Amino acid sequence: PPPSTPSWTLPAISVLALLALTLTFVFSHFHLDPTQPFPANIQQPQPIPDPAFFRNLPPGTPVATLTTSVDDSVLPSFRYHLVLAQRYPHLWLLPAILRNESGPVPSHRIPPARLQQLDLQQHRFLVEDLIRWHPTLLLVERCQDSTIHCQVLEDRHDNLLAFFLRDPAFVRIFACYHFARSSGPYDAYLLQPESCQVPGSTK
């Protein structure tokens, strides 16, 4: 027979789950109110990315972020009611690809054929996302800067933009973006469709 549980088990689990969510929300200083500052910590006292990137964007604006950090793309999208213009909130395949392409031998080696497949997949994902959403703002983390330590790539300083510029399809799309400014670890590029034919656009 199935084991029996006391009648108070389900209510107790519900209360503990609610308590865990509440404590996580409070102590992570997670605020959806755009008037409140972004969370800060000892390692990173300044908000990342710079909130000024998003303040003048109307709700519903598609934004993409080339980064290996989930928080840097998800948090601004929620707080400013923007559209997360990418299927994944970060470049989750990229660190393993880069570690297997160059540098010290990684602890987990990817066979050459599989590595090539993942490389093509990472490029294809980004191109498809840009064609689908046409993000107005494209942020690129400058991991190649020796003063910037990107999540998962802490011991490396790879140029994320250079990686994607290896793909001719991305080069054609990126030609529609123009550098706006830099702030903190990010470079901002704005879509200017009038200067080119945006792939996938009916305009």
Side-chain angles (χ1 to χ4, degrees), residues 13 39 65:
I13 292 175
T65 306

Side-chain angles (χ1 to χ4, degrees), residues 86-140:
Q86 51 203 104
R87 74 189 71 188
Y88 302 112
H90 65 311
L91 303 171
W92 70 280
L93 293 175
L94 194 53
I97 294 173
L98 294 173
R99 291 186 186 281
N100 277 267
E101 285 187 345
S102 65
V105 177
S107 56
H108 177 72
R109 300 190 66 177
I110 301 175
R114 179 58 175 162
L115 179 61
Q116 182 181 21
Q117 182 184 34
L118 292 175
D119 185 286
L120 293 173
Q121 191 176 45
Q122 180 69 89
H123 282 97
R124 179 171 57 84
F125 283 170
L126 181 59
V127 168
E128 290 176 351
D129 291 348
L130 295 179
I131 291 175
R132 177 179 179 179
W133 280 290
H134 306 304
T136 301
L137 172 65
L138 179 63
L139 295 179
V140 181

Side-chain angles (χ1 to χ4, degrees), residues 141-150 153-154 156-157 184-186:
E141 192 168 16
R142 293 192 315 280
C143 298
Q144 72 274 16
D145 189 327
S146 61
T147 64
I148 295 172
H149 299 277
C150 296
L153 290 172
E154 287 88 353
R156 298 176 60 98
H157 293 285
Y186 281 94

Side-chain angles (χ1 to χ4, degrees), residues 4-201:
S4 60
T5 57
S7 59
W8 51 262
T9 301
L10 184 58
I13 292 175
S14 300
V15 170
L16 287 175
L18 182 60
L19 179 62
L21 289 173
T22 302
L23 291 175
T24 301
F25 187 90
V26 171
F27 287 101
S28 66
H29 305 290
F30 186 84
H31 301 289
L32 295 180
D33 182 359
T35 62
Q36 297 295 321
F38 274 22
N41 53 48
I42 296 175
Q43 291 77 23
Q44 186 58 63
Q46 297 300 321
I48 301 297
D50 185 351
F53 283 138
F54 315 105
R55 286 190 181 125
N56 295 324
L57 298 179
T61 299
V63 174
T65 306
L66 302 189
T67 178
T68 54
S69 171
V70 177
D71 292 341
D72 288 2
S73 58
V74 173
L75 182 56
S77 298
F78 274 99
R79 296 212 35 209
Y80 294 98
H81 307 288
L82 306 172
V83 173
L84 186 64
Q86 51 203 104
R87 74 189 71 188
Y88 302 112
H90 65 311
L91 303 171
W92 70 280
L93 293 175
L94 194 53
I97 294 173
L98 294 173
R99 291 186 186 281
N100 277 267
E101 285 187 345
S102 65
V105 177
S107 56
H108 177 72
R109 300 190 66 177
I110 301 175
R114 179 58 175 162
L115 179 61
Q116 182 181 21
Q117 182 184 34
L118 292 175
D119 185 286
L120 293 173
Q121 191 176 45
Q122 180 69 89
H123 282 97
R124 179 171 57 84
F125 283 170
L126 181 59
V127 168
E128 290 176 351
D129 291 348
L130 295 179
I131 291 175
R132 177 179 179 179
W133 280 290
H134 306 304
T136 301
L137 172 65
L138 179 63
L139 295 179
V140 181
E141 192 168 16
R142 293 192 315 280
C143 298
Q144 72 274 16
D145 189 327
S146 61
T147 64
I148 295 172
H149 299 277
C150 296
Q151 189 173 10
V152 189
L153 290 172
E154 287 88 353
D155 58 328
R156 298 176 60 98
H157 293 285
D158 298 279
N159 189 320
L160 305 187
L161 184 58
F163 172 84
F164 288 102
L165 286 173
R166 289 166 15 189
D167 181 6
F170 176 80
V171 171
R172 289 192 294 271
I173 298 174
F174 191 66
C176 300
Y177 287 84
H178 294 263
F179 175 77
R181 68 185 184 88
S182 296
S183 180
Y186 281 94
D187 293 333
Y189 296 85
L190 296 176
L191 177 64
Q192 295 189 1
E194 68 278 1
S195 65
C196 68
Q197 178 61 43
V198 180
S201 174

